[in-house]
């Protein structure tokens, strides 16, 4: 997908994987709460991997346009 945000896992377990040419999945990593699932570059960059929730999950989405204000107000985010 295209996007302009940071996706961070708040709760649950997620597998990050790449779909192979033969249709199989290659697991790249398992994400746990506090992990960043995707740091999407601006300007319509495309992700080269996918995410699949292994349990019920909660994801925080922070649009790039909000990062400067968020970093200023919450320095620990940086």
């Amino acid at each position: 997908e295209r996007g302009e945000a940071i996706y961070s896992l708040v709760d649950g377990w997620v597998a990050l994987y790449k779909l192979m040419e033969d249709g199989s999945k290659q697991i790249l990593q398992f994400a746990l709460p506090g992990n960043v699932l995707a740091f999407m570059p601006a300007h319509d960059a495309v992700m080269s991997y996918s995410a699949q929730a292994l349990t019920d999950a909660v994801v925080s989405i922070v649009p790039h346009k909000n990062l400067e204000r968020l970093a200023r107000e919450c320095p620990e985010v940086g």
Side-chain angles (χ1 to χ4, degrees), residues 4 6-7 9-11 17 23-25 28 34 37 39 55 61 64 67 75-76 78:
E4 295 186 356
I6 293 174
Y7 296 81
L9 185 60
V10 175
D11 191 30
Y17 68 92
S24 63
K25 292 180 183 178
L28 303 172
L37 300 177
F39 184 84
T55 66
I61 302 170
H64 284 172
L67 286 178
E76 66 275 8

Side-chain angles (χ1 to χ4, degrees), residues 3-65:
E4 295 186 356
I6 293 174
Y7 296 81
S8 177
L9 185 60
V10 175
D11 191 30
W13 285 51
V14 170
L16 302 179
Y17 68 92
K18 182 175 183 172
L19 194 58
M20 308 304 286
E21 288 184 19
D22 66 0
S24 63
K25 292 180 183 178
Q26 178 184 14
I27 305 260
L28 303 172
Q29 87 179 59
F30 293 100
L32 300 175
N35 290 145
V36 172
L37 300 177
F39 184 84
M40 298 288 292
H43 309 298
D44 293 327
V46 178
M47 294 301 299
S48 61
Y49 61 91
S50 299
Q52 179 177 351
L54 303 174
T55 66
D56 288 342
V58 176
V59 176
S60 171
I61 302 170
V62 181
H64 284 172
K65 64 183 180 181

